[in-house]
Amino acid sequence: MRGEKTFSSFLPLISLSFFIFISQSIATNYPINVWPKPTTFNWPNPKSILLSPNFTISHPDHRYLTPAVNRYRQLILSEHHRPIITPAINLTSSTPLQNLIISVSDVTSPLSHGVNESYSLSTPSDGSSSAYITPATVWGAMRGLETFSQLAYGKNPIRVTAGVYVHDLPIFIHRGVMLDTSRNFYGVDDLLRLIKALSMNKLNVFHWHITDSHSFPLLVPSEPELAGKGAYGNDMMYSPADVQKIVEFGLEHGVRVLPEIDMPAHTGSWAEAYPEIITCANMFWWPAGNTPALAAEPGTGQLNPLIPKTYEVTKNVIHDTIAMFPDSLFHGGADEINSACWNTDPSIQKVVASNGTLNYYYLDCGHGSFVGNDSRYDQPPGTDQGNGGSWCGPFKTWETIYNYDITYGLTDKEAQLVIGGEVALWSEQADSTVMDSRIWPRASAMAETLWSGNRDETGMKRYAEATDRLNEWRYRMVARGIGAEPIQPLWMYHVKLAAAKSVQDALLVMTVKGGECKLTDYDISKT
């Protein structure tokens, strides 16, 4: 059996280690938890309070906060989250919670890079019928609403954690997911669902990699032929109205939409409308012999910097994109500039020959090899297949992402210059059918590390403690319509629940045959 380990004479040691491992995992978590973990979360006497069926949320009127409040009120009253392990929490005799009062310090701050997302939250334990969220801005109010929604659970009646105090703000101001919509197309509804999940995880940037060599799906009003000829089809374009819908949806969820038009490399799709401004367009990406590759993957083409028309078209594209997207930042790509591609053009060769220079650097990703017809991966069983053709292998697990420290090796002064991070889903082998499971819950792991870090109060990595919380959060995301992939079998919870009752009960879960105790998929060396 896969992962099976057999022990015969070490049962007492296994029993003790197993109990310690599980007990620590249970002891470090509250009965109800929030993802991402708040920077300060105090619940000295875990109890719950009933939620009134007439529950209301009081808040200042605001173009984007008001729909967020309406959305969260409906979620709180209808979600009926059922924790995987029923929390052993006593119900207070207090009056049911009647309302949540939101008091915003600054209702005018726009959603922009560096906006204050801090908030405080408290739920009553003394008979009061009100809970409170006190944010600096409306965007902090949205983060507080997400936290409050995760404190509600159960059905008939709905309960809310009582006597909780939260003070919360992110460590990093830029926390995002990048999605490539050029290699494969994603519908508007897919992008809205992504933004919805970003907001749930307190991520604040949707980095939209709109165009690439493979297609140009954005309808630019002053250059309509770029999408007219460069998109995969008329039903695979994003119109200005689509963009407006996506941007507005982002604002209602506290998520900035940051557009990227990749250039000067990755512009092969531009050649469908303007072949004269693109070098090495539609050439085979890796010529025979010792000739260097013209691109990092199939899909060649780069803007020709010596053609005046290049600057005219580029200016129009940037101008219209900025007009459609209100964010203060615009991403110009600039990755994988390939000197071999430019050198296929005689005029560029002449510039280089006269001591001109061209820079080259590489950044890309994938999900295994998508090129096909590659004999390197036709090997006998047992052969080391390397990274399997993936541009960025090996596969990054949620634990790898959670444990990654983006300021590793930096001085304290240098670390202060790091504004945050993003996870990226490139779409060589992804589209809407797998988007959710490729991104979640791995992006959730990054979300917590960028919000409150990956270490506990003593400075120790908290990935073991995070496992149960992330597993619970993944199930809650699925119930909210996000197709996040599982990180564990439910069997793990049955074992932990049994261990919480007694060591002997936990051991009964194991299979004992022929005097040997067989423990599946459990590495005793790591207890």
Side-chain angles (χ1 to χ4, degrees), residues 6 15 39 104 146 186 225 234 250 282 316 325 334 366 397 403 424 463:
T6 301
S15 304
T39 51
V104 182
E146 177 56 44
Y186 296 75
E225 288 298 287
N234 292 334
N282 299 315
N316 290 338
F325 292 86
T397 67
N403 288 320
Y463 53 88

Side-chain angles (χ1 to χ4, degrees), residues 82-164:
R82 188 173 136 193
I84 298 175
I85 295 180
T86 302
I89 307 174
N90 291 328
L91 184 66
T92 68
S93 57
S94 302
T95 304
L97 187 63
Q98 298 286 343
N99 63 335
L100 172 63
I101 300 172
I102 302 175
S103 302
V104 182
S105 300
D106 177 7
V107 296
T108 61
S109 289
L111 182 61
S112 59
H113 177 72
V115 72
N116 192 330
E117 298 173 89
S118 66
Y119 68 94
S120 296
L121 181 154
S122 61
T123 60
S125 61
D126 56 1
S128 171
S129 61
S130 298
Y132 298 88
I133 295 177
T134 308
T137 66
V138 297
W139 319 109
M142 293 184 191
R143 308 302 175 226
L145 283 165
E146 177 56 44
T147 294
F148 185 85
S149 75
Q150 294 184 37
L151 299 179
Y153 66 98
K155 180 179 181 180
N156 297 330
I158 301 171
R159 301 185 180 199
V160 177
T161 58
V164 166

Side-chain angles (χ1 to χ4, degrees), residues 238-367:
Y238 303 107
S239 69
D242 292 332
V243 171
Q244 183 179 12
K245 181 177 182 179
I246 292 165
V247 168
E248 284 292 303
F249 192 84
L251 289 166
E252 291 177 1
H253 287 74
V255 176
R256 297 162 49 212
V257 182
L258 194 164
E260 178 184 351
I261 305 296
D262 206 349
M263 62 179 85
H266 293 272
T267 51
S269 58
W270 300 40
E272 300 301 316
Y274 296 106
E276 68 273 21
I277 70 173
I278 303 298
T279 60
C280 81
N282 299 315
M283 292 185 177
F284 187 69
W285 71 292
W286 202 328
N290 295 323
T291 305
L294 302 179
E297 66 179 43
T300 58
Q302 295 184 172
L303 292 174
N304 189 329
L306 303 183
I307 305 296
K309 181 73 172 180
T310 299
Y311 298 93
E312 176 189 335
V313 174
T314 301
K315 180 181 178 180
N316 290 338
V317 169
I318 294 174
H319 176 272
D320 285 7
T321 302
I322 291 173
M324 285 188 278
F325 292 86
D327 199 82
S328 60
L329 299 183
F330 169 84
H331 198 302
D335 67 316
E336 294 182 338
I337 300 171
N338 189 305
S339 58
C341 174
W342 269 335
N343 284 334
T344 62
D345 184 270
S347 60
I348 295 179
Q349 289 180 9
K350 185 177 180 180
V351 171
V352 173
S354 60
N355 297 320
T357 60
L358 296 170
N359 293 322
Y360 176 90
Y361 56 91
Y362 177 87
L363 176 66
D364 211 331
C365 200
H367 195 80

Side-chain angles (χ1 to χ4, degrees), residues 461-476:
K461 289 283 185 72
R462 64 186 186 199
Y463 53 88
E465 175 267 342
T467 303
D468 286 352
R469 291 189 296 106
L470 182 58
N471 206 17
E472 181 79 43
W473 176 233
R474 177 261 168 185
Y475 277 98
R476 196 160 195 163

